[in-house]
Amino acid sequence: MIHDASLPEAELQQFQKRSLLVGIVGLALCGAGMLFNREEFFRSYLLAYLFWIGIALGCLAIVMLHHLSGGAWGIVIRRLLESATRTLPLMALLFLPIVFGLSHLYEWARPEALGDKILRHKSLYLNVPFFLVRAALYFAAWIAVVYFLNKWSLKQDQTAAPSLSRQLELLSGPGLVIYGATMTFASIDWVMSLEAHWFSTIYGLSFMVGQVLGAFAFVIAVAILLSSRKPLSEVISSEHLHDLGKLLLAFVMLWAYLAFSQFLIMFSGNLPEEIPWYIRRQQGGWRWIGLLLILLHFALPFLLLLSRSLKRDAKKLLAVAALVIAMRFVDLLWQVSPAFHPEGFHFNWMDLAAPAGIGGIWLASFARQLKGRPVLPLHDPFFQEAVQHGRE
Amino acid sequence: MKRRPPIYGLMAEFDTPSDLVAATLRAREAGYRKMDGYSPYPIEELAEAIGFHSSRLPLIVLIGGLIGCAGGYYLQYWVSVMDYPLNIGGRPLNSWPSFIPVTFETTVLVAALAAVLGMLGLNGLPMPYHPVFNVSRFALASRDRFFLCIEATDPKFDHEETMRFLKSLKPRSVSQVPH
Amino acid sequence: MKEPLKTVIVEPGKPPIIEPGHTFASVTDKISSVVLTRRTPRGWYLGFGVSFVLVMVLLYALGKLMVVGTGIWGVNHPVGWGFAIINFVWWIGIGHAGTLISAILLLLRQEWRTSINRFAEAMTLFAVACAGIFPLIHVGRPWLPYWLFPYPNTMGLWPQFRSPLVWDVFAVSTYATVSLLFWFVGLIPDLATLRDRSRRQLPRVIYGILAMGWRGSAMHWHRYEMAYLLLAGLSTPLVLSVHTIVSLDFAVSIIPGWHATIFPPYFVAGAIYAGFAMVLILAIPIRAIYRLEDFITLRHLDNMAKIILVTGLIVAYGYMMEAFMGWYSANPYEEYMVLNRMRGPYAPLYWALIACNALAPQVFWLKRARSSIPVLFIIAIIVSIGMWLERFIIVVTSLHRDFLPSSWGMYYPTVWDWATFLGTTGLFVSLIFLFVRFLPMISIFEMRTILPQARVEE
């Protein structure tokens, strides 16, 4: 029996401090960059923001999937997921710079957009006030779901009431519907509308799958890193890693399936309103980034994760998870940056500084949330079973 | 040519899977190697007890899949680029995105055929005749009974000795398996 | 490899997947007696008779088609894809639940699948058989189907591999082959059981030939399980690919309402949705007639209702995205297509489809609805109708108003369209009746593995 489920305080404290330092330095550099190149600052910031909020929201989706489906894999990482979701209020705050950069980022947010027939048609939806109202709604919805999920989870720790599991399950069904609806429109607002003439009905779905994939890779990495320390070292076994590895594989495949579906349909249709999106992403260096995505975002992790022994080997699985996390960033770069630089590959130093900045602050917040609560849901009615599962 | 032993082997019948696995482990300890367990459903522990671990089947399926994948793509490439190049709506002759669906299907088709034929081939099925069916009670192996058969070709096999050994395992019954 | 068939999961607070008190012998006897010893119920003769009459209707309609030609159907300019394609997509979609139950749920270690996988797989095969009829007869010259395949010929011609219709040929034939293999491999041990238990000569010989000399050897089981898992692993992406390719038949074109990137996942979800509805439609009467409530428990029905709810939500998401993007695209044709569906001549069917597919399954949020057999049965029928309407709306509304108003028209199915469609339902049902009569409808050996006494104690 495990009684103490808190992580070593001192180590986390140190990690939190270091992350915060990196974050502050990164954001300070970006702030300086903004003075010289306002345009590039907002582009890099948006990219970094999408990457980190994607992990937080992906964790939210996974935690709800777990409440609905059950399974030992979810119980052992549940607290890591919950800690990541509790960073969403911070992410709402970090959204503010984007609000001030709308006219730099989105062509529809500039006054001359009304001269364009298509943008005029879309202005009913794509206009600044409505965009802000929608963003506020998204955050309100996410934070509300996060609030109750975490509140009841904490209560379960204190009271051990089994009815709370049922309550969490009941919230997670509608919660996932809310996530699906809001995230679809958030992806249209924040990313798809960067190229406001272009549209794709699968986009929201593939954006969400990307988030969940990134979040899976992230929690797998964190779980492996923490599994060398108490108390997770007593719980997480190769059996759990195997299950998590399978889920990672499933999402790698799902991501590739959705990305390829969109590409094949647009390639075959070859319509002037769709194909330019891909033409821009095949010019100059972007073509090579696209190839890199096929090879390292799909082919390599897919082939590696087919191996049973790799999924059970913490070090190797960690390496694959790290690769997937890195490729999630490259994928977002390939989705976002060609909108601004259709002529070819472009990489600004702030494309590194901004992710480091937001990431540092986000990770510091994540570490703080991890410290605050037991890292294992000891009073989950299936907790013992989940531990037992790992020992079989 | 080696002389054919007069019978195929001796067979003990058990009531539960645990008895069968325990008996098999005992037989293995006693030095018997040429034996097989028969059960009405798969028992993982039984294959282990008999000393059967890996299988070449995944490799066969992998090879089948690779053949299907390369063959499927090459078929389309050869047809569309080499044998009869046609301009279809200005698409490249080697339109690789359009060739992926068929390549995927042929990969799965050949791999699945390899899995089934490989399994049957390694198991030696279909097998029109096998001595174990000469034991009339063996019909229960597909219902609710568990059998252990020690084959006469085992170097340690000795009719009396093996019979005594099998009886010591407290089976329901022990019978001779004629050829 | 860890064997998912073997672990018995008893979850507190959830109804069991098999009622307590059964033994290896009772499970074997109960399931095999339906085939071997029990008297065939009178309802069987009645049901088979009725469905066989429908098969005759099918044959008559097909004969008429061969003699007269596709002119007997309602398809004409501008709607060239009518009932044949609607029914093809509907049937093949229904088939998908069978593979999903047998393959994906196996990989996910969902033990409750055990008692329903066999007849769900049979359902797949028969649905694919019904589906396969339609493209064949729709090509106009059904005696030349081999032209669809790439074979060396004196004309020097090859299929056009950039066309999704050729992908479809590969997808459907691969799917039919692999489903048959999967089903047959699953049957081998049970065929051996029937061989050993039948008392009459002829069945013994037939089951014996089909069982191929299976004797339940430990080594055989080991390889067998591995092959079964590998087949499951292959079937899982296969089943997704089949309906994806069916959706590409539409989406690769540039017709408004067809050319939508969401089509692949939305079609796949719709297929699973319709398929599970069909499993419920079949399972509910079968478990009542053959008294299989011990094996197909309320837990099974509850889980299937949940899957229907989830896939129904994905389908509803697809409708929402189509409508939103129709407006957002700012393309007048896209926008018109959406408005035409909602307000045009086929609007009643569109709203009926929304009611059937997006609204009706929402009652499954309630536990009470998921555990009420009449509600489950009614919703399953509504969903089946809704999914048929969906294919009707997709096929017909996108074609009947072409880009030029001079090429506008209406589509009216003829009596021969209906006769062919009803005929395939008769074919499907009579195949199900034959299957239930002559093969074990529940996997006997897998049922043995989920009994508590199947565990080896050391």
Side-chain angles (χ1 to χ4, degrees):
Chain A
M1 247 343 250
I2 300 156
H3 295 290
D4 181 21
S6 45
L7 283 164
E9 183 94 359
E11 252 179 302
L12 269 182
Q13 187 73 35
Q14 202 183 12
F15 175 79
Q16 188 186 335
K17 263 190 198 155
R18 278 189 201 157
S19 308
L20 197 63
L21 191 69
V22 171
I24 290 170
V25 170
L27 282 190
L29 282 174
C30 287
M34 183 173 76
L35 301 177
F36 298 103
N37 193 341
R38 194 166 286 233
E39 300 267 299
E40 285 298 325
F41 164 77
F42 284 116
R43 293 165 184 176
S44 304
Y45 188 89
L46 176 71
L47 173 66
Y49 183 81
L50 289 171
F51 176 75
W52 288 105
I53 198 172
I55 289 180
L57 285 170
C59 287
L60 174 61
I62 297 171
V63 100
M64 292 189 288
L65 277 176
H66 163 67
H67 284 312
L68 287 178
S69 72
W73 61 269
I75 291 177
V76 295
I77 57 167
R78 186 170 134 193
R79 285 295 146 82
L80 308 178
L81 295 165
E82 286 172 352
S83 302
T85 64
R86 290 197 299 275
T87 61
L88 273 171
L90 171 79
M91 291 316 279
L93 199 66
L94 288 174
F95 188 72
L96 287 179
I98 295 175
V99 172
F100 293 107
L102 288 184
S103 62
H104 295 284
L105 289 167
Y106 302 100
E107 55 177 323
W108 52 262
R110 291 173 211 137
E112 62 267 27
L114 291 177
D116 180 301
K117 202 171 144 246
I118 289 178
L119 294 187
R120 202 164 55 235
H121 172 93
K122 294 189 183 189
S123 64
L124 197 63
Y125 179 81
L126 292 179
N127 61 67
V128 173
F130 193 26
F131 176 95
L132 296 178
V133 169
R134 284 196 306 271
L137 268 177
Y138 305 148
F139 280 109
W142 297 333
I143 290 170
V145 174
V146 165
Y147 174 78
F148 286 106
L149 282 177
N150 282 285
K151 184 180 162 189
W152 293 338
S153 190
L154 183 68
K155 210 164 142 198
Q156 191 175 46
D157 264 351
Q158 292 155 350
T159 64
S163 65
L164 286 162
S165 284
R166 178 93 193 113
Q167 230 169 308
L168 287 165
E169 196 184 325
L170 284 179
L171 173 64
S172 293
L176 270 177
V177 174
I178 291 172
Y179 167 76
T182 50
M183 196 55 232
T184 297
F185 287 100
S187 72
I188 293 171
D189 293 0
W190 299 351
V191 199
M192 199 167 99
S193 78
L194 286 170
E195 283 148 285
H197 283 222
W198 183 75
F199 59 91
S200 168
T201 39
I202 205 176
Y203 196 80
L205 204 56
S206 72
F207 201 83
M208 285 188 273
V209 167
Q211 286 189 338
V212 174
L213 173 61
F216 255 120
F218 174 76
V219 284
I220 289 174
V222 173
I224 291 175
L225 289 172
L226 292 178
S227 68
S228 57
R229 294 164 181 77
K230 273 194 176 179
L232 284 180
S233 57
E234 290 170 25
V235 172
I236 293 188
S237 75
S238 54
E239 203 64 44
H240 298 122
L241 294 182
H242 191 179
D243 289 348
L244 288 168
K246 281 186 201 164
L247 284 163
L248 190 64
L249 173 64
F251 274 92
V252 164
M253 287 163 73
L254 194 56
W255 174 85
Y257 166 69
L258 296 176
F260 179 71
S261 295
Q262 176 178 295
F263 173 60
L264 180 60
I265 290 170
M266 292 197 169
F267 166 86
S268 301
N270 206 24
L271 289 175
E273 55 202 0
E274 291 175 346
I275 201 68
W277 196 85
Y278 280 104
I279 293 177
R280 282 194 280 278
R281 280 156 185 78
Q282 283 177 13
Q283 262 157 15
W286 292 126
R287 164 189 292 263
W288 303 111
I289 301 289
L291 188 67
L292 194 74
L293 285 174
I294 296 175
L295 294 177
L296 297 186
H297 198 314
F298 169 63
L300 185 66
F302 169 74
L303 292 173
L304 290 175
L305 287 169
L306 283 180
S307 152
R308 174 184 144 93
S309 58
L310 181 137
K311 279 179 286 209
R312 301 177 76 90
D313 182 326
K315 266 192 194 139
K316 288 181 188 159
L317 187 61
L318 177 63
V320 176
L323 173 71
V324 172
I325 296 172
M327 292 321 289
R328 282 307 308 143
F329 182 74
V330 177
D331 181 35
L332 281 172
L333 178 77
W334 189 76
Q335 306 247 1
V336 171
S337 282
F340 307 116
H341 303 286
E343 68 289 344
F345 180 70
H346 178 95
F347 200 84
N348 190 280
W349 64 269
M350 278 188 283
D351 286 341
L352 280 182
I358 298 182
I361 290 179
W362 189 84
L363 284 172
S365 163
F366 175 68
R368 201 175 79 92
Q369 297 296 346
L370 264 187
K371 264 189 331 193
R373 293 189 184 183
V375 77
L376 287 167
L378 295 182
H379 295 296
D380 187 301
F382 292 101
F383 179 71
Q384 279 312 320
E385 209 176 293
V387 174
Q388 206 53 43
H389 173 72
R391 293 189 183 146
E392 270 174 14
Chain B
M1 212 181 109
K2 256 170 78 177
R3 208 172 54 82
R4 198 169 87 141
I7 57 166
Y8 177 77
L10 287 172
M11 185 186 263
E13 177 187 340
F14 297 94
D15 272 330
T16 69
S18 310
D19 290 348
L20 174 61
V21 171
T24 312
L25 286 171
R26 289 270 305 278
R28 206 172 158 72
E29 272 168 34
Y32 292 104
R33 289 294 175 271
K34 297 211 81 171
M35 57 182 173
D36 206 346
Y38 301 89
S39 57
Y41 62 89
I43 302 173
E44 199 183 348
E45 293 86 348
L46 185 59
E48 276 167 31
I50 284 175
F52 187 74
H53 291 293
S54 65
S55 166
R56 279 171 296 167
L57 200 57
L59 185 67
I60 293 174
V61 174
L62 178 70
I63 292 170
L66 290 175
I67 290 172
C69 180
Y73 195 89
Y74 183 70
L75 168 73
Q76 300 175 78
Y77 183 84
W78 184 78
V79 163
S80 316
V81 180
M82 292 156 79
D83 191 54
Y84 205 128
L86 264 183
N87 183 333
I88 306 288
R91 289 178 185 79
L93 288 179
N94 179 23
S95 303
W96 65 268
S98 306
F99 295 164
I100 285 183
V102 170
T103 308
F104 175 82
E105 299 300 329
T106 51
T107 307
V108 171
L109 179 64
V110 182
L113 285 170
V116 174
L117 297 179
M119 184 270 285
L120 292 177
L122 290 174
N123 281 348
L125 297 175
M127 185 174 281
Y129 173 79
H130 196 277
V132 287
F133 289 105
N134 294 332
V135 178
S136 60
R137 292 197 59 83
F138 187 73
L140 294 175
S142 64
R143 185 168 179 252
D144 60 345
R145 292 293 150 74
F146 302 81
F147 294 86
L148 176 68
C149 180
I150 296 183
E151 290 158 28
T153 48
D154 191 290
K156 233 190 140 265
F157 186 85
D158 172 89
H159 198 285
E160 262 79 84
E161 173 62 35
T162 307
M163 178 70 99
R164 212 171 306 132
F165 170 74
L166 282 176
K167 285 204 170 136
S168 74
L169 299 172
K170 301 209 178 62
R172 229 182 129 89
S173 67
V174 180
S175 28
Q176 284 194 24
V177 186
H179 275 295
Chain C
M1 208 168 290
K2 176 121 178 99
E3 303 303 348
L5 298 179
K6 287 219 54 194
T7 43
V8 183
I9 299 173
V10 183
E11 285 155 272
K14 292 209 174 159
I17 53 176
I18 178 167
E19 293 296 330
H22 277 289
T23 64
F24 296 130
S26 73
V27 166
T28 309
D29 298 346
K30 182 155 190 184
I31 301 172
S32 60
S33 69
V34 174
V35 178
L36 295 174
T37 51
R38 249 207 257 180
R39 271 191 59 156
T40 311
R42 206 171 294 158
W44 188 92
Y45 289 104
L46 185 73
F48 183 71
V50 170
S51 53
F52 197 69
V53 169
L54 287 176
V55 176
M56 294 298 112
V57 172
L58 175 68
L59 291 180
Y60 186 74
L62 292 183
K64 174 101 177 168
L65 179 79
M66 303 280 168
V67 175
V68 183
T70 33
I72 62 169
W73 289 349
V75 284
N76 207 334
H77 189 73
V79 182
W81 273 16
F83 259 40
I85 304 299
I86 297 166
N87 296 335
F88 163 69
V89 180
W90 190 69
W91 275 121
I92 201 133
I94 284 172
H96 283 31
T99 321
L100 189 102
I101 289 172
S102 49
I104 300 182
L105 297 184
L106 176 77
L107 296 180
L108 293 176
R109 302 189 194 177
Q110 298 287 317
E111 310 254 314
W112 58 273
R113 69 177 269 291
T114 302
S115 57
I116 51 171
N117 67 337
R118 172 69 50 72
F119 86 74
E121 284 165 33
M123 186 192 84
T124 297
L125 277 176
F126 306 150
V128 172
C130 291
I133 291 174
F134 286 103
L136 282 186
I137 57 176
H138 192 249
V139 294
R141 283 191 280 176
W143 47 90
L144 296 170
Y146 56 93
W147 282 13
L148 294 165
F149 290 92
Y151 72 105
N153 57 70
T154 50
M155 297 170 279
L157 284 171
W158 294 105
Q160 205 285 89
F161 281 111
R162 294 174 196 85
S163 159
L165 302 180
V166 174
W167 308 343
D168 224 8
V169 172
F170 279 80
V172 174
S173 45
T174 301
Y175 185 47
T177 313
V178 175
S179 304
L180 185 66
L181 287 175
F182 199 56
W183 188 61
F184 180 67
V185 167
L187 269 169
I188 293 172
D190 287 357
L191 290 167
T193 298
L194 294 181
R195 171 199 65 200
D196 296 341
R197 294 191 49 69
S198 61
R199 297 203 186 90
R200 283 182 299 143
Q201 185 66 17
L202 184 67
R204 187 165 26 225
V205 169
I206 293 174
Y207 290 128
I209 290 171
L210 291 172
M212 296 190 296
W214 180 263
R215 57 186 190 273
S217 140
M219 286 192 244
H220 288 188
W221 277 123
H222 185 80
R223 292 197 191 97
Y224 175 90
E225 290 241 272
M226 186 162 280
Y228 202 69
L229 271 183
L230 287 166
L231 274 180
L234 289 167
S235 301
T236 303
L238 175 66
V239 67
L240 302 186
S241 84
V242 174
H243 227 65
T244 296
I245 288 174
V246 170
S247 81
L248 293 176
D249 289 343
F250 299 93
V252 155
S253 74
I254 50 169
I255 302 209
W258 287 7
H259 183 73
T261 48
I262 198 153
F263 260 38
Y266 150 70
F267 263 54
V268 169
I272 296 167
Y273 182 52
F276 269 91
M278 187 56 88
V279 176
L280 277 183
I281 291 174
L282 296 177
I284 288 173
I286 285 181
R287 80 194 268 278
I289 292 169
Y290 288 99
R291 307 243 155 264
L292 295 172
E293 288 92 345
D294 286 6
F295 298 161
I296 304 172
T297 62
L298 281 177
R299 169 91 174 277
H300 294 94
L301 305 181
D302 182 71
N303 283 349
M304 287 194 269
K306 281 181 184 163
I307 293 178
I308 288 179
L309 176 61
V310 169
T311 47
L313 284 167
I314 299 175
V315 169
Y317 177 89
Y319 301 148
M320 177 185 81
M321 289 318 290
E322 273 188 331
F324 175 74
M325 284 295 170
W327 173 81
Y328 181 88
S329 70
N331 175 323
Y333 299 101
E334 291 279 343
E335 213 173 333
Y336 179 75
M337 182 275 302
V338 172
L339 287 178
N340 183 43
R341 279 184 186 174
M342 294 178 179
R343 302 213 297 247
Y346 292 104
L349 294 182
Y350 178 79
W351 293 111
L353 122 81
I354 296 289
C356 290
N357 282 355
L359 300 181
Q362 303 306 322
V363 301
F364 285 156
W365 285 101
L366 303 173
K367 172 104 188 135
R368 274 180 57 195
R370 294 198 305 267
S371 46
S372 151
I373 291 188
V375 172
L376 285 165
F377 193 69
I378 291 167
I379 297 288
I381 288 176
I382 292 177
V383 166
S384 290
I385 295 171
M387 285 309 291
W388 190 87
L389 286 173
E390 181 199 294
R391 276 65 177 254
F392 183 93
I393 289 291
I394 289 173
V395 169
V396 175
T397 59
S398 284
L399 290 175
H400 89 117
R401 293 209 168 156
D402 209 337
F403 290 98
L404 292 173
S406 60
S407 342
W408 285 10
M410 290 293 284
Y411 170 73
Y412 300 106
T414 66
V415 63
W416 298 108
D417 283 306
W418 287 109
T420 317
F421 176 47
L422 284 177
T424 51
T425 58
L427 177 65
F428 178 76
V429 176
S430 34
L431 287 170
I432 293 275
F433 272 114
L434 289 175
F435 159 71
V436 167
R437 174 65 190 79
F438 291 109
L439 289 168
M441 70 180 112
I442 293 178
S443 173
I444 307 173
F445 89 89
E446 283 179 296
M447 289 305 282
R448 294 186 194 116
T449 65
I450 60 171
L451 292 173
Q453 58 265 45
R455 280 210 152 168
V456 174
E457 283 144 28
E458 285 157 47

